[in-house]
Amino acid sequence: MANIIITTVPGLDKLAMREIKDITGKDPEYAHKGMLRLDGEMDDVLHLNYRGKMLQKVFWQLAEAHFEKKDEIPETIHQLPLNELIKEDQSFAADTDRHGEHDFTSTGINRLAGEAIINRFRNLTGKRLAVNLDKPDITFRIFIRHQQCIIALDTTGTGLHMRHYRRYLHPAGLNACVANAMVRLSEWTPGESLIDPMCGSGTTCIEAILMANRIPNEQKDFPCLRFPFIDKAHLMKLKAKIEDEKLDQPLSVFGADIDRKALIGARKNAEKAGVPPDFIEGDATKIPLDHDRIILNPPFGLRMGSYRTVEELYEKFLEHLFQHNWKRTVILTARPYLIPETLVHQRINVESGKLPMSILLLEK
């Protein structure tokens, strides 16, 4: 049975599976939309947390069971060796991720599971665990998928998509996992040039450099390093090895935006990330686009006013785009119908935020 659960942006599942294989050398399984599973070790967990760019969270599975009524869920928890999973001086929280039709709420399961964890630990040790909903030492994740219940430990904490370099948040900010996926889909290599002509807060450019130079995710204390059953000294050596694999190769990565405020924010984000993309102020419908790979996330139109304004922007950009030499263009849009199907080589639908979006691959 696979004992590692990995979540990603729904729609990026296949790409995330390839990334997991690249990181661990092992083949993950598709479980549900946005959820993958892997038969692995705690070393794999650490690698995935530090190196996974399209992953949101990584969980260590403890148990799985079918249930008919919610009162059966505590029975699964009562079988766990909780005295080996959490220390008496550590705090905990229970968090539920529920999908399907049920006669109970996620909050109700949090309460039910929390009580079961307290009772089970007290029966094993005679001690009562402290609950901390804000900053727990250990978080138990309860996945409810219809009538299936999975109990797991959250090894990640703050989601990996919440990148540490986000000093400036653009009003229409791009999910870093999606940005990374777009870089991969562009098939950009370090010897080629890449530009995001509508770069906003610079996420795509930053992600390209982080990926090419093997710079790990920056988080000082992943929860998995607090698990009582791990060999922490071994994992810290592994972490140091991951850090040693970083590169510092020169890269041709460029970003442009017509919004000066966004560019100032992009430079702040790049500085925090420790990467040096070249940002310039310019109109995407006018600047030179002779680059090997072009990646962009055009405005959805919610802040631009009329539909016609958005349509005109797409028309102008596409006309300008095809006047230049490039190999592949990747566009994230909530309005895929504004790009002629004859230009689209591949389409991938993703679910990130409130709007359904599509990643479109264009080739000459």
Side-chain angles (χ1 to χ4, degrees):
M1 179 184 70
N3 60 326
I4 299 174
I5 296 172
I6 304 114
T7 58
T8 186
V9 175
L12 297 185
D13 308 88
K14 289 184 179 179
L15 288 168
M17 290 176 75
R18 284 185 226 158
E19 182 181 37
I20 293 167
K21 176 67 179 289
D22 290 343
I23 293 172
T24 67
K26 301 172 182 177
D27 291 309
E29 304 170 0
Y30 177 86
H32 304 281
K33 184 183 287 189
M35 178 189 285
L36 310 169
R37 304 179 81 162
L38 180 74
D39 187 4
E41 309 296 332
M42 194 55 65
D43 285 16
D44 298 314
V45 167
L46 197 74
H47 274 291
L48 291 169
N49 275 314
Y50 276 106
R51 295 175 58 194
K53 300 298 185 182
M54 288 185 286
L55 315 181
Q56 294 187 317
K57 282 205 172 194
V58 182
F59 300 89
W60 185 258
Q61 181 171 322
L62 303 173
E64 182 173 5
H66 180 83
F67 71 94
E68 294 296 335
K69 299 180 180 179
K70 68 175 183 178
D71 294 336
E72 298 173 22
I73 294 175
E75 296 176 10
T76 303
I77 294 174
H78 290 155
Q79 303 302 314
L80 297 176
L82 285 178
N83 55 317
E84 299 174 11
L85 303 176
I86 183 171
K87 295 184 289 188
E88 62 183 65
D89 61 347
Q90 290 181 311
S91 61
F92 85 96
D95 180 46
T96 300
D97 180 352
R98 183 176 63 87
H99 289 265
E101 296 289 331
H102 303 101
D103 60 356
F104 53 79
T105 64
S106 297
T107 301
I109 295 300
N110 290 345
R111 188 179 304 110
L112 195 67
E115 292 173 355
I117 290 167
I118 289 172
N119 292 335
R120 172 61 171 166
F121 191 84
R122 184 164 46 202
N123 290 339
L124 290 171
T125 67
K127 306 289 185 179
R128 178 185 172 87
L129 286 172
V131 176
N132 187 331
L133 301 182
D134 296 321
K135 292 184 178 180
D137 295 309
I138 306 291
T139 298
F140 292 85
R141 170 63 65 90
I142 299 91
F143 291 98
I144 302 292
R145 294 295 184 270
H146 304 288
Q147 302 308 125
Q148 201 73 8
C149 172
I150 300 172
I151 312 295
L153 293 176
D154 183 347
T155 77
T156 304
T158 302
L160 298 176
H161 61 291
M162 303 292 290
R163 302 290 204 254
H164 75 284
Y165 59 76
R166 288 286 182 86
R167 285 183 175 179
Y168 168 73
L169 297 177
H170 192 276
L174 176 60
N175 183 305
C177 295
V178 177
N180 194 275
M182 293 170 70
V183 174
R184 292 171 188 267
L185 287 167
S186 77
E187 298 185 350
W188 171 70
T189 61
E192 297 178 317
S193 64
L194 178 151
I195 188 170
D196 181 346
M198 300 183 187
C199 70
S201 59
T203 304
T204 300
C205 300
I206 294 169
E207 287 297 314
I209 296 176
L210 293 177
M211 183 179 72
N213 279 336
R214 297 178 62 83
I215 299 174
N217 299 320
E218 184 174 313
Q219 188 160 319
K220 294 180 180 179
D221 186 20
F222 284 112
C224 60
L225 296 174
R226 298 195 289 268
F227 294 167
F229 56 88
I230 63 154
D231 183 344
K232 186 170 182 178
H234 168 71
L235 291 184
M236 293 306 290
K237 288 180 181 178
L238 186 59
K239 176 186 174 184
K241 184 179 179 182
I242 294 170
E243 290 283 346
D244 288 341
E245 293 175 353
K246 290 192 294 187
L247 303 174
D248 189 23
Q249 57 186 327
L251 301 165
S252 298
V253 177
F254 305 89
D257 205 284
I258 199 170
D259 184 346
R260 183 172 297 178
K261 180 181 177 182
L263 284 175
I264 293 172
R267 292 188 180 103
K268 289 181 179 179
N269 288 342
E271 180 183 2
K272 177 63 175 176
V275 298
D278 189 353
F279 292 117
I280 59 172
E281 184 176 349
D283 185 338
T285 66
K286 298 177 181 179
I287 62 172
L289 294 176
D290 293 308
H291 292 271
D292 296 299
R293 312 290 167 173
I294 301 172
I295 303 173
L296 66 150
N297 173 26
F300 293 167
L302 300 180
R303 298 173 179 83
M304 293 182 64
S306 71
Y307 169 81
R308 182 56 192 162
T309 303
V310 180
E311 189 176 34
E312 288 175 353
L313 173 63
Y314 276 69
E315 289 174 355
K316 287 181 180 179
F317 176 75
L318 289 174
E319 181 181 358
H320 182 63
L321 174 68
F322 279 89
Q323 293 174 0
H324 293 81
N325 295 316
W326 45 271
K327 296 177 181 177
R328 176 173 285 190
T329 294
V330 181
I331 302 176
L332 176 71
T333 179
R335 301 178 184 272
Y337 48 84
L338 291 179
I339 298 177
E341 291 186 6
T342 54
L343 303 179
V344 178
H345 173 70
Q346 183 180 351
R347 172 175 172 172
I348 299 172
N349 296 323
V350 296
E351 300 173 19
S352 178
K354 297 180 179 180
L355 291 174
M357 296 182 290
S358 297
I359 300 174
L360 307 180
L361 276 60
L362 280 61
E363 292 183 349
K364 278 195 169 183

